[in-house]
Amino acid sequence: MENNSRRSFLKDTCKVCLLGAATFSIAEFLVSCGTTAKGFKTTVTDNKIEVPLSLFDTSNSQIISPRNYEYEIAVQKNTDNTFQALLLRCTHQNNQLIPTGSGYYCSLHGSQYDKQGNVKKGPAEKGLPHLTIETTPTNLIIHI
Ligand code: FES
């Protein structure tokens, strides 16, 4: 009887430890290097999005959230003042990706991408699509 209680206690304790370890590693991944600003709201018009260049005065990384579009877009201002725009749609099965600060994470099957959209961990095999960008004196125009 005493052995059964001890065994039950150890099994329950191990389950809590495993859950804690799994939660910690995902949480640690999600907050690593967190410098990405979040959620500029806009709309898609004629398959284009306009983003003010002034948005990048405070942070070189911005997440764009079009109200009438299924996926967010990550826009990065590079050190040479060029821009890259990544569609945050997992190339495995089209799930919306979560920005992590050091890249992007898919909560459906665990794929991970770096900030340039390259696959760091599968099951995804292809990198993220880079969207075409035009610049005007005041805005970025992103083609979807
Ligand atoms: S949909 Fe993203 S890993 Fe499967």
Side-chain angles (χ1 to χ4, degrees), residues 40-61:
F40 176 77
K41 304 273 189 246
T42 187
T43 54
V44 179
T45 306
D46 296 330
N47 295 324
K48 296 178 199 165
I49 294 171
E50 286 199 39
V51 177
L53 288 172
S54 60
L55 191 63
F56 298 91
D57 291 347
T58 55
S59 175
N60 287 339
S61 296

Side-chain angles (χ1 to χ4, degrees), residues 2 4 10 15-17 21 40 43 52 55 67 71 74-76 82-83 88 105 128:
E2 188 174 311
N4 282 343
L10 289 173
K15 286 177 191 172
V16 170
C17 289
F40 176 77
T43 54
L55 191 63
R67 291 182 189 92
Y71 299 99
V75 182
Q76 175 75 37
T82 60
F83 291 85
L88 297 185
Y105 171 73
L128 300 178

Side-chain angles (χ1 to χ4, degrees), residues 53-140:
L53 288 172
S54 60
L55 191 63
F56 298 91
D57 291 347
T58 55
S59 175
N60 287 339
S61 296
Q62 298 290 337
I63 300 297
I64 311 302
S65 303
R67 291 182 189 92
N68 55 342
Y69 193 67
E70 189 174 353
Y71 299 99
E72 293 181 321
I73 297 160
V75 182
Q76 175 75 37
K77 183 178 180 182
N78 302 314
T79 52
D80 62 357
N81 290 331
T82 60
F83 291 85
Q84 82 170 7
L86 297 173
L87 183 61
L88 297 185
R89 179 182 68 201
C90 184
T91 58
H92 181 232
Q93 290 182 0
N94 301 326
N95 189 42
Q96 169 67 45
L97 298 173
I98 300 167
T100 64
S102 61
Y104 308 98
Y105 171 73
C106 181
S107 61
L108 204 53
H109 308 109
S111 288
Q112 296 174 16
Y113 302 84
D114 65 17
K115 278 196 160 244
Q116 286 69 47
N118 302 308
V119 175
K120 287 172 49 183
K121 178 177 175 278
E125 295 178 350
K126 291 171 49 179
L128 300 178
H130 288 245
L131 303 174
T132 302
I133 297 176
E134 293 174 62
T135 54
T136 70
T138 56
N139 290 331
L140 283 182

